[in-house]
Amino acid sequence: MNPRLTLASSVVGAVLVALDGTVLTIAQPTVQKDLGASFAEVQWTSTGYLIAVAALLVFAGRLADRYGHHRVFGIGMLGFGAASAGVAAAPGLGWMIGLRVAQGVFGALLQPATLGMLRAAFPPDRLRTPIAVRTAAIGVAAAAGPVVGGALVAGPGWRVVFLLNVVPALVLGVLALTVRPPRGASPVALDLPGALLLAITLACLVHALVALPGRGWTAATAAVAGAAFVRHERRTASPLLPPGVLGSAAVASALGMLVAASAALSGTLFVGTFVLQGAFGLDPFRSALVSLPLALLMVLAAPSCAVLLRWAGARLTTGAAMTLLALGILVLSRAAAVPALCLGFALVGAGFGTVMVAATHVVVREAAREHAGVAGGLQQTAMNLGPVLGVALATALMGGGPGLPWGVLAALALACAALGRLLPAGAGRTIDDHARSEDRTPVPARR
């Protein structure tokens, strides 16, 4: 695919996954009623998906590095579309949960590939804008999801929600499998034991966070499997996580900021829902309108961040953005009127949108091309773990009133702003390319 078609495919793939999750949240009460399920049972339509995605993202990225990002993306899109059609026709809750897990498996295949394709199609000094476009599109999907979901559920029904994915997924999937990739796949080895240990670690960690406080055994399993994974990675000749990727201080710091920022955002929105519909007495539609500045500023922040990265570098940009995110949460915690709430949501959206673009840019550009899929998998893993952590933290602290979880989430964002010190500084040299010759245009020798 040419760069523009690659960018379009990356954007649509990311938007489909983002829209699917947002719309399902709106549809869940109706699904519960129609299928006669309990609240705990219907929650597994989301939990099963999250566990499957979190467990497989990094290994899926490694598969893309080995067999080609376009090929893995195409398989992921076709499978995601087919599973979506299956969910729409599911005769019962058991079928729906199983097909949602299948969606998670194929979603894990396509998500890292959306970033890996960008890394392969664009030179390092031109990655800022594609990543900003992708982030802005995700912001639009997040804003449109509740509106689209509400309209569809109230109209033709919740099953139509899942049919939204089918046509674009099938079209882009076939296109990705038929168009010649821009470069050959790398002959990287597959670390199957490492992939299994990491999958167990992440799956148990997500389940433990979602099921707090009553699933201590899954947390213990995650700790044991995580320790075994670290031990294995240090000893194996072909680790799942190459030292050049996760061993980079810049990449590790950027991933930490993504986890913290997405945790702060999701936890804040979770608490905000109860505050808007409880203390302020707003209905769901008016609550969505009050929080709309968050999505709008996230969309506007994405292209602005591309300019900031070029002008100020990743260190200053991410540090300022995390501080802005913390400030927005603090404004929400002190808000006594709707205008103050709108201001707080706007600050949160601007801060999060900027961090997401800048930190993702660091992770994707710092990785060598042969490890672009793994880098994409790590970025997506951070973006999936963060929200689960944020909601779990907010849930545990809600007993002390909304001010307590908001204060803790703001402190988390502010503390993680210090991670920006480990990112590259300076305008025009956002990332050190480590003299990787494959990312540079050859200069003819003088005659």
Side-chain angles (χ1 to χ4, degrees), residues 135-212:
T135 302
I138 293 173
V140 172
V147 178
V148 173
L152 291 177
V153 172
W158 65 266
R159 294 181 185 273
V160 180
V161 167
F162 294 95
L163 295 178
L164 289 175
N165 306 323
V166 177
V167 173
L170 296 181
V171 170
L172 286 178
V174 170
L175 187 62
L177 292 176
T178 55
V179 175
R180 186 179 180 86
R183 67 187 299 271
S186 302
V188 293
L190 293 179
D191 177 17
L192 295 179
L196 178 61
L197 288 171
L198 183 61
I200 294 173
T201 301
L202 294 175
C204 290
L205 178 60
V206 169
H207 186 261
L209 290 173
V210 170
L212 280 177

Side-chain angles (χ1 to χ4, degrees), residues 373-436:
V374 170
L378 287 170
Q379 189 270 354
Q380 292 293 320
T381 299
M383 296 301 297
N384 278 271
L385 286 179
V388 178
L389 175 62
V391 172
L393 185 62
T395 302
L397 298 174
M398 275 292 284
L404 178 59
W406 268 339
V408 171
L409 292 168
L412 173 65
L414 197 59
C416 288
L419 292 174
R421 294 183 178 182
L422 299 176
L423 302 185
R429 50 188 180 89
T430 309
I431 300 294
D432 178 10
D433 288 331
H434 302 290
R436 289 194 289 267

Side-chain angles (χ1 to χ4, degrees), residues 288-438:
L289 290 181
V290 171
S291 61
L292 189 60
L294 187 151
L296 293 177
L297 265 293
M298 179 178 165
V299 172
L300 293 175
S304 302
C305 181
V307 177
L308 286 173
L309 283 172
R310 190 177 299 111
W311 174 68
R315 183 180 300 175
L316 289 176
T317 300
T318 54
M322 290 294 282
T323 303
L324 190 65
L325 174 59
L327 177 62
I329 299 173
L330 290 176
V331 169
L332 289 174
S333 69
R334 306 286 293 180
V338 169
L341 289 170
C342 291
L343 174 61
F345 281 122
L347 293 174
V348 169
F352 178 77
T354 303
V355 170
M356 187 173 174
V357 173
T360 299
H361 180 254
V362 171
V363 174
V364 175
R365 185 175 175 180
E366 182 75 0
R369 282 187 176 183
E370 61 267 23
H371 302 316
V374 170
L378 287 170
Q379 189 270 354
Q380 292 293 320
T381 299
M383 296 301 297
N384 278 271
L385 286 179
V388 178
L389 175 62
V391 172
L393 185 62
T395 302
L397 298 174
M398 275 292 284
L404 178 59
W406 268 339
V408 171
L409 292 168
L412 173 65
L414 197 59
C416 288
L419 292 174
R421 294 183 178 182
L422 299 176
L423 302 185
R429 50 188 180 89
T430 309
I431 300 294
D432 178 10
D433 288 331
H434 302 290
R436 289 194 289 267
S437 60
E438 74 272 15

Side-chain angles (χ1 to χ4, degrees), residues 28 84 236 409 417 425 427:
Q28 273 187 335
S84 297
T236 186
L409 292 168

